[in-house]
Amino acid sequence: MNWQQVFLLEGKVQHYDWGGYEYLPQLLGLANQAQQPYAELWMGTHPRGESMAWKNDHPIPLSELLESRPDWLGEGVVAQFGPKLPYLFKVLDVRQMLSIQVHPNKAQAESGFLRENQAGVSLSASHRNFKDDNHKPEVMVALTAFWLLHGFRHESEIARLIEEVPEFGPLKPYFARKDIFELYKGVMEMPQAGVDAILEPLDNRLRPLAEGGALRKEQPEFWAARAFEQLMPEGKAYDRGVFSIFLLNLVRLQPGQGIFQGAGVPHAYLEGVNVELMANSDNVFRGGLTTKHIDVPALLAHLNFEAVTPRILEGERLSAAEWAYYTPAPDFQLNKIRLSAGEFYQARVSDGPEILIVIEGAVNPVGCQAFTRGQAFFVPAGHVYALHGMEDSLIFKALVPSLH
Ligand SMILES: [Zn+2]
């Protein structure tokens, strides 16, 4: 075993405003005395946050390492996805809710990207929708209790909520035919004065309830009140994304549970820590709870208006130590490894590149240096390795699903 075949990876921290102050600094062993928000840790080759790989005691960008050794991506991966890492791996700490978003499918991304290029829309323009020609499916697994919005609720539940929330009277005509598309389009195209006329009284009613601790996280009202407080301070326009807090399924994941966001499924992360794995893309349409550009016609064209029952992924057991969170995405697979102190984990030989991160404990790949909590490492395609648990350990592994 040549230890140089496993590379320590230094991820890139993104200090977005919505990030938490403690989880990621603690994971990475940093003090964070300046109380900066630590939102995301990125592991991959994304140009806005590339990881550094340590080779012969020197850090080099992971993309450079892979350019010098395309065989480390694996022949099949290069043939299907091109000579680059097909995924981006993250740890997220959501303190303040994120925008509502939806991602296009592959065919939509390819034609949309081409269309905007031909129309001469600059890649950096704020109204540019397609940043690349790829889809962006995402899978995530909760590390703490995790709250999110995911897919439209069933029509009967939406009807009940419109009935129950007194301020939503004006929405009833839009849902007369129990058509989610009609209702959502109506809400998204409503003049701002109409939005304010509904959300201001809702804000006024919910605020004292929230302050008095009378709302529970299981209620959309809790998150609506939080949105008013966090995103719409006095004097700021009401954000119509608040309606989606009621229209979408409110999901709570327990640690170890996962969920997959496929193309067209609206979603928003509300609170919690997770590991997330996604295809290499920046294509996103926003649907509110944001100050960023919202292109309503494009949003409507890419949303799936079918009601969904959220499918919680428990992870399929592969061995005594490993679970897989299977999804339909060909670009990536997320596995979990649990090792007790002294146990060994023999990895299956993968024909694609892998990135592993130690979330708890410490492991050493046999013949290698040890990797401790917060450290990540890159394993080239085809490399045979085993991990030895130095303590009780929790590791997440990003890989490419077998191509055959
Ligand atoms: Zn997303």
Side-chain angles (χ1 to χ4, degrees):
M1 163 85 64
N2 177 359
W3 68 268
Q4 284 180 325
Q5 295 270 305
V6 173
F7 299 90
L8 175 66
L9 268 194
E10 206 170 284
K12 164 81 180 161
V13 173
Q14 304 287 4
H15 297 279
Y16 306 134
D17 288 345
W18 50 262
Y21 300 110
E22 285 165 17
Y23 186 87
L24 284 171
Q26 278 173 13
L27 181 69
L28 299 170
L30 303 168
N32 197 21
Q33 272 151 342
Q35 280 290 295
Q36 264 190 301
Y38 278 64
E40 303 189 354
L41 174 69
W42 286 17
M43 294 161 286
T45 54
H46 195 288
R48 280 191 287 112
E50 172 145 34
S51 297
M52 303 299 280
W54 285 79
K55 190 186 180 197
N56 304 330
D57 293 327
H58 292 286
I60 61 166
L62 179 57
S63 62
E64 253 175 55
L65 183 75
L66 295 174
E67 271 159 32
S68 70
R69 293 295 302 263
D71 55 313
W72 285 354
L73 289 166
E75 255 176 60
V77 167
V78 173
Q80 187 166 356
F81 303 103
K84 54 183 192 287
L85 194 67
Y87 54 72
L88 177 60
F89 195 17
K90 298 180 178 180
V91 182
L92 266 76
D93 180 10
V94 181
R95 177 181 53 87
Q96 210 172 60
M97 59 178 75
L98 305 192
S99 60
I100 296 157
Q101 26 184 274
V102 67
H103 309 294
N105 65 31
K106 184 80 176 113
Q108 290 166 335
E110 281 172 0
S111 61
F113 185 67
L114 185 67
R115 205 169 49 239
E116 285 187 328
N117 282 351
Q118 286 170 344
V121 184
S122 150
L123 262 178
S124 57
S126 67
H127 63 287
R128 171 101 194 192
N129 282 320
F130 293 93
K131 313 279 191 207
D132 52 68
D133 67 353
N134 207 6
H135 63 166
K136 190 173 180 271
E138 302 164 333
V139 67
M140 64 97 138
V141 173
L143 297 178
T144 64
F146 196 98
W147 292 89
L148 75 153
L149 302 171
H150 173 96
F152 284 100
R153 288 177 187 266
H154 283 270
E155 287 81 354
S156 57
E157 276 183 56
I158 293 177
R160 179 178 58 78
L161 280 162
I162 291 179
E163 206 56 55
E164 279 177 12
V165 178
E167 294 80 4
F168 285 175
L171 299 183
K172 283 179 190 167
Y174 296 107
F175 204 50
R177 295 199 296 186
K178 299 276 183 294
D179 181 334
I180 296 175
F181 172 77
E182 242 173 52
L183 171 63
Y184 189 78
K185 183 173 187 290
V187 156
M188 294 310 287
E189 291 179 347
M190 191 183 280
Q192 186 61 39
V195 172
D196 294 346
I198 299 172
L199 294 186
E200 194 179 351
L202 181 66
D203 182 11
N204 292 337
R205 180 169 66 84
L206 295 184
R207 202 169 283 253
L209 294 176
E211 283 164 5
L215 300 174
R216 288 173 299 110
K217 289 184 179 177
E218 288 77 8
Q219 298 173 282
E221 284 85 352
F222 174 94
W223 301 100
R226 183 176 277 192
F228 288 133
E229 186 215 321
Q230 289 184 341
L231 309 177
M232 290 157 260
E234 214 76 39
K236 245 182 136 186
Y238 280 104
D239 185 324
R240 65 191 69 213
V242 170
F243 293 116
S244 291
I245 296 176
F246 293 84
L247 302 181
L248 304 181
N249 292 292
L250 176 55
V251 181
R252 180 204 166 121
L253 299 177
Q254 304 289 358
Q257 290 184 322
I259 199 163
F260 173 67
Q261 332 276 1
V265 177
H267 56 278
Y269 290 168
L270 299 175
E271 184 184 84
V273 182
N274 69 13
V275 288
E276 188 181 51
L277 185 57
M278 64 197 63
N280 230 336
S281 170
D282 286 324
N283 286 329
V284 71
F285 297 95
R286 290 192 174 77
L289 305 181
T290 180
T291 52
K292 290 189 182 146
H293 172 70
I294 296 181
D295 181 338
V296 173
L299 176 70
L300 296 178
H302 293 92
L303 266 177
N304 179 356
F305 290 96
E306 261 168 66
V308 303
T309 302
R311 222 184 120 230
I312 309 291
L313 307 174
E314 301 288 349
E316 257 179 67
R317 196 152 198 169
L318 302 180
S319 69
E322 188 172 22
W323 290 258
Y325 295 86
Y326 289 121
T327 76
D331 315 67
F332 55 73
Q333 183 177 318
L334 182 58
N335 286 12
K336 176 177 77 178
I337 300 163
R338 268 198 183 284
L339 271 185
S340 300
E343 268 183 357
F344 280 92
Y345 158 77
Q346 178 63 54
R348 297 180 181 192
V349 179
S350 168
D351 43 20
E354 297 184 356
I355 293 175
L356 292 89
I357 180 163
V358 182
I359 296 293
E360 288 166 19
V363 294
N364 64 328
V366 174
C368 288
Q369 73 206 84
F371 294 102
T372 56
R373 180 172 149 79
Q375 287 188 319
F377 53 101
F378 174 82
V379 183
H383 185 59
V384 180
Y385 69 99
L387 299 179
H388 170 241
M390 301 166 71
E391 307 166 18
D392 291 357
S393 301
L394 174 64
I395 299 115
F396 282 89
K397 167 159 104 168
L399 65 155
V400 182
S402 188
L403 301 165
H404 38 256

